[in-house]
Amino acid sequence: MDSGQYRSGSPTGESRAPTPVKIVIAGGFGVGKTTFVGAVSEIIPLTTEAAMTTASVGVDDTSQIQGKTTTTVAMDFGRITLDTDLILYLFGTPGQDRFWFMWDDLCRGAIGAVVLVDTRRLDACFAAVDYFEQRELPFVVALNCFDGVLAHAIDDVREALVIGEDTPIVACDARVRESAKTTLIELVQHALARASAVLRSPANTRGGVGAGTSTP
């Protein structure tokens, strides 16, 4: 989908204020969240990287992510404008279990999430997938192609994660801006489709009663 498809200017030619949208970039430890936000952000990203110390030995598994010397301890923040009327604000979560208490605050108000996955360590994303499924927040799974290689086929990953066909799974390279941008567009499409389906559901259309409204 081209970002130009979001263009919805007034027929009179009047411009309108852009719509701000909150997106969460989530996943396990060392899957590429900070890299993703940094690659796609049009502003200098805010990061909260801290050096990994000997205190993390035996706690954070770095056996398959050699060379990692820092980790996010609060959040990453970036911004990307998809079109003149749509701005995405990106909030990257910390990956380690000990920082999960921050997730509820970071996800509050978000329309959806990108769950980044390192297919060499599928188990690292199980908790993130469960988190968004339990909260019924739309999400897409993005398979980060480390070294440009997709370790497993998308269908195999879907089966391993027990994710339904209604949840998009895409391949991406978190280091490449256009790849990360395409992933974000996929998420926005998915979130819009979910919202439209809810609005068309019988509970929301019966008798003209809107969502969250009860008849007297």
Side-chain angles (χ1 to χ4, degrees):
M1 175 179 179
D2 188 342
S3 60
Q5 290 180 257
Y6 289 111
R7 190 168 289 109
S8 55
S10 166
T12 63
E14 297 177 358
S15 60
R16 68 180 191 180
T19 300
V21 171
K22 182 178 183 180
I23 300 292
V24 174
I25 311 301
F29 171 65
V31 297
K33 300 180 295 296
T34 299
T35 300
F36 184 102
V37 173
V40 78
S41 179
E42 64 196 13
I43 62 173
I44 297 175
L46 167 68
T47 62
T48 56
E49 292 278 283
M52 297 179 65
T53 66
T54 54
S56 68
V57 175
V59 178
D60 299 326
D61 182 6
T62 60
S63 60
Q64 297 190 59
I65 41 177
Q66 299 294 329
K68 185 171 178 61
T69 59
T70 61
T71 186
T72 298
V73 296
M75 70 173 191
D76 301 310
F77 175 77
R79 185 190 73 196
I80 177 173
T81 302
L82 287 187
D83 199 10
T84 56
D85 61 355
L86 185 62
I87 299 177
L88 306 186
Y89 291 96
L90 312 176
F91 291 77
T93 66
Q96 295 98 322
D97 294 349
R98 60 185 176 276
F99 296 125
W100 271 68
F101 67 91
M102 302 180 187
W103 278 48
D104 285 346
D105 287 336
L106 289 175
C107 294
R108 187 171 294 115
I111 68 160
V114 173
V115 177
L116 272 177
V117 174
D118 178 354
T119 54
R120 301 169 302 180
R121 300 180 293 124
L122 278 179
D123 59 319
C125 76
F126 290 162
V129 169
D130 289 344
Y131 180 91
F132 294 115
E133 285 184 337
Q134 290 169 5
R135 287 157 181 78
E136 298 184 344
L137 186 69
F139 68 95
V140 301
V141 173
L143 309 182
N144 194 3
C145 299
F146 286 83
D147 301 320
V149 177
L150 185 61
H152 301 284
I154 288 178
D155 287 344
D156 293 339
V157 173
R158 184 181 298 280
E159 182 178 352
L161 297 181
V162 196
I163 291 177
E165 293 290 338
D166 57 333
T167 298
I169 299 181
V170 299
C172 79
D173 188 330
R175 303 165 299 180
V176 179
R177 186 175 194 272
E178 283 304 313
S179 180
K181 181 179 178 181
T182 298
T183 301
L184 292 171
I185 291 173
E186 182 73 27
L187 172 61
V188 172
Q189 285 182 304
H190 178 53
L192 287 173
R194 281 273 300 269
S196 296
V198 169
L199 290 174
R200 292 194 303 268
S201 67
N204 290 326
T205 58
R206 188 181 302 116
V209 178
T213 304
S214 60
T215 56

